[in-house]
Amino acid sequence: MVNSKACEELDTKVIKTGLCTLCGACVGNCPYLAAYEGRVLLKDVCDLPQGRCQAACPRISLDLDELSEVVFGGPYPEDGLGTARYVVMARTTDSKIRARAQDAGAVTALMKFAMEEGFINSAILTSFEDKSWPRGIVASNDEQILKCSGSSYLAAPTIESFNQVIQNPNHQSIGFIGTPCQVMALVKMRTAPPEISQNLDKLKLIVGLFCTWALAYPDFGRFLEKKISDPVVRYEVPPHPANVLSAYTDKERFSFSIDEVLPFVRPACRFCLDLTAEFADLSVGGGRGEVLNWNTVVIRTERGMRLFDSAAKKGVIETAPIPEGNLSRLKAAAYNKKKRAIENIIQRTGCTDDLLYLKGRPGIIKRLVAECREGSL
Amino acid sequence: MSGIAVNAPQTIQLLMGNEAIARGALEAGVGVAAAYPGTPSTDIIDSLADVAKDLNLYVEWSVNEKVALEVAAGASLGGVRALTAMKQLGLNVALDFLANVSLTGIKSGLVLVVCDDPGALSSTNEQDSRNIAKMFDLPLLEPATAQEAKDMTKWAFELSEQISNVCLVRSVTRISHARGNVVLGELREVSARASFDTTQKPYTTIMGGAPQYHRVLHENLTKIAQIFESSPFNGYAGPERPELLIITCGTGWLYSWEAIKMLSLQDSVGILKLGTTWPLPGELVKRHMMKAEKILVVEEVDAFLENNLKVLAVDSLPGRDRIFYGKHSGHINPFGEINTDIVIRALTNILNTKYIIRDEAYRQKATEILNRYVVFRETQFCPGCPHRGLFWALKDSLRLDGQEGVLTGDIGCYGSGVGSTGFKQLKTMHSMGSGIGVANGLGKLEQFGFKQPVLATCGDSTFFHAAIPALINGIHSKANFILLLLDNSGTAMTGFQPHPGIPMNAVGDPAPAVDIGDLCRGLGVPVEIVDPYDIEDTTQKLLNVLRHSGRPRVIISQRECSLMRARSEKPLYQMDVVAHQCQGETCGCNRFCTRVFRCPGLMWNTNTKKVEIDQAICVGCGVCVDICPQSAITRKEIR
């Protein structure tokens, strides 16, 4: 479409079709779009044919090879885990972090360390309170970082906060913790024209979080309101085979079977290929089996590796090798997420030529499309 | 002393038509004047208020037109000459009382001036109020000049007393707002012997007998028609037996004269000018109609005169072929204003002659020059208008809320909220107070599946004028709506007249103010106050209130009209643009400040392609600081 308006196209092709991940990349520095209570919406009519919104949105178009080239200097890999230097188990040595953390506190510990060591001077994190909708915040000290540990499993427009501070001269080196969709958006922004990407070199560290799905506000919030009257202080999805989502108040734990929770998953998650935040500097997830109380960490980039090694050397985190079975299970899970996404995309478009937002055909995508085609025969 | 109160008979003053009407009232010894402001009638009471203290008059801005007429009627019954003035829409508000008082009659002279607005230059409708005089059997005078505006108003008091009833004077925008030379008469002192005669039979038709009163009205009309036969406001000029007779009144008279002069038709076309248009001076009119076979009726808006003339011709001049031209023949437009060109076109068409009104080359050149130098300006809120902030917050909150809230409204500055200056938020706009009434209806549709929140805007003056009964209605019916009271501390649209919520009266004396918030709270409605200059807080409060439904709620947006404020106070802020921070066309905001927010105080410099503050008109409200995504606009407090 030659003369289409960027904003409106985003609205009709991404937001209204349920492809929007609520990553927040299009909001925060655009006066036309806003994120509010779990959705992105168009507040006013912008008639620009091109804009920041499309340049940032990972769901209007995404070229995996291009992103891979920007971050790793090479094409999108065949491995389901993305480009990785090595995978290792890690956990914080700080008991204060451990007490609040989702798994083993590696994310919080690494971010705190990055700030203490001057890798970054501010961090964009996701904060949630009780059952309300989570939002991005800008943290500039330990205490603020610690307050954000843990997840609400709700999708959050965290990049909005990043967009709001990116031009502020007080924020010269910024760290970001986010989900795979958010990481993709940040990396896509780096491929944009200079007026959009000009300050992105301030982004010194991206810590990605493993993610299978995110829940939608306000629907899930309303669901919880009905079940839990006290404030929720922590959420947890314990590893297989628990198959529950637990919400903790100060007094007790409420567990809901995953089947009960799945209807609240954002529709956009069905089309997501990325389990392990493949374009982050390092990606962190939970542990299972013999390393249950550890984090799984995928070290991806040079700077990710430098930070991680330095943190390990200074005893901020302790590390352990990943058990062989865990690595293969992780790779299989990552591959399966891609496969489900491709299946859902093809089901939506009705043909294998149109993969919605995915532009370009890296080898692994070709393979997945072929598998889908065979599966349907 | 003001021009209208100068006591210098036979001298000439340059007066606006409305001032001339006020002067006429003074020359008639008017004691009481009451009105609700409404363009084009407002200056009548404004100018009487200016001289009220010096001349010992009582002048008030009433809560609405019906009350104003009642106040004037009360004064008349108490033996004091009284005047009320209103625009055509205001007359509709007063009609219920007029329908009654016209039957029971009055005592001292009571003149009702109605200023129509042909072309609806500042109105939501275009109506010919002359029909009201006919409907209620009341005498009607139509001035054609400022001089007549004064003289007719003065005479109207005498006529009123001759029939003990209301006399109507109908002006239009071009009479009320134009200036002309007026030869002054004597000022008459106001009688100071006011009293109500309690021995007289009551002023009412309730004991039966309305038809009897009605009969008296018709007898009065006959009497008045007799008087009108010899009125100096009627007259003929032209040849003894004209080829074409123009019968005209009001603005049509000068347009007709000009047309005849331009076409050099003085020898073939005559003009019968009528100043007394209801009841018609039948004999006078018949005498002239008999001398012509072609009659062109030139009048503004409805075919009022034309239809009455045709009835007269059918009744009194049988068997004569006579062709009427005017509204029905399509020669004079029955809507919008008329002008000399229109009369010229009618004359050349009827008389089959040619006249080039405007040379085509000249017309093209004029259009070209106009397009080059005249900046296109849409109807918009003034710089710093509190309504802009409120409508912005409203737009944002309705979008964020996502329930497709509907905003109804009524007439006032905020009525421009239907356009881009109000971000096209207002979806219905009718009469005074109608927004809340319509919201009452929409707010009761839940049982039919209606799910959208309903909001109504209403100004502070309008609230007192016509919205209170609708609010009470909504409370009693548990209608689901939010009333947004846009309190800008005055009747801003007509020129900042006070209303009952203002601690000052029409003549500038302190007066008890009725607090809108207290009044609403007293009715048992939850009330929240917001500052429309604080967009974020206002948006949040609107979002909160949109969540709760089931009964009326009131939000009062409080900020004085920025124009009123600028008269007495310095701006709040010195506004500037940090040029290096404004990224102009590379920002990606797509000129958000000037294209979407659209305050006239913000200018897009087409050379630098960046925004600038128009310091000449900026009033320093500071709101645009919160609009710019790059924080390029700054505000510095002025002390």
Side-chain angles (χ1 to χ4, degrees), chain A residues 3-21:
Chain A
N3 276 322
S4 72
K5 298 165 186 174
C7 258
E8 280 174 26
E9 200 185 14
L10 198 76
D11 194 35
T12 51
K13 283 195 175 170
V14 179
I15 299 171
K16 294 215 168 95
T17 55
L19 279 182
C20 172
T21 65

Side-chain angles (χ1 to χ4, degrees), chain B residues 50-71:
Chain B
D50 283 347
V51 301
K53 283 184 181 171
D54 291 327
L55 298 180
N56 192 30
L57 313 180
Y58 173 71
V59 180
E60 74 165 40
W61 285 120
S62 309
V63 73
N64 64 33
E65 291 85 354
K66 176 172 172 281
V67 172
L69 178 59
E70 287 159 354
V71 167

Side-chain angles (χ1 to χ4, degrees), chain B residues 340-352:
Chain B
T340 305
D341 290 355
I342 288 165
V343 183
I344 288 175
R345 248 177 254 128
L347 288 171
T348 51
N349 180 284
I350 296 163
L351 302 172
N352 205 17

Side-chain angles (χ1 to χ4, degrees), chain A residues 4 57 189-190 203 233 240 313 377:
Chain A
S4 72
C57 177
M189 282 155 80
R190 284 171 62 183
L203 190 56
V233 293
H240 189 75
K313 205 194 261 173
L377 285 175

Side-chain angles (χ1 to χ4, degrees), chain A residues 32 39 42 44-45 47 52, chain B residues 395 399-400 587 589-590:
Chain A
Y32 298 90
R39 64 203 165 96
L42 197 52
D44 293 285
V45 179
D47 53 11
R52 286 173 203 283
Chain B
K395 162 189 72 82
R399 290 293 293 145
L400 295 176
C587 176
C589 76
N590 195 10

Side-chain angles (χ1 to χ4, degrees), chain B residues 253-321:
Chain B
W253 182 47
L254 287 174
Y255 297 147
S256 300
W257 260 125
E258 207 169 10
I260 286 175
K261 215 172 132 193
M262 288 169 82
L263 298 172
S264 302
L265 291 172
Q266 290 93 333
D267 294 337
S268 53
V269 178
I271 296 182
L272 175 62
K273 179 256 182 194
L274 296 176
T276 66
T277 43
W278 187 257
L280 280 176
E283 294 306 319
L284 171 80
V285 174
K286 266 191 283 178
R287 264 202 314 279
H288 289 285
M289 288 206 293
M290 277 165 70
K291 293 178 187 165
E293 282 169 6
K294 292 178 179 169
I295 296 167
L296 169 65
V297 186
V298 179
E299 63 188 320
E300 216 150 27
V301 193
D302 287 351
F304 178 78
L305 191 56
E306 182 179 337
N307 289 350
N308 294 333
L309 289 169
K310 282 176 176 171
V311 171
L312 190 70
V314 169
D315 284 354
S316 320
L317 302 168
R320 295 279 299 263
D321 286 335

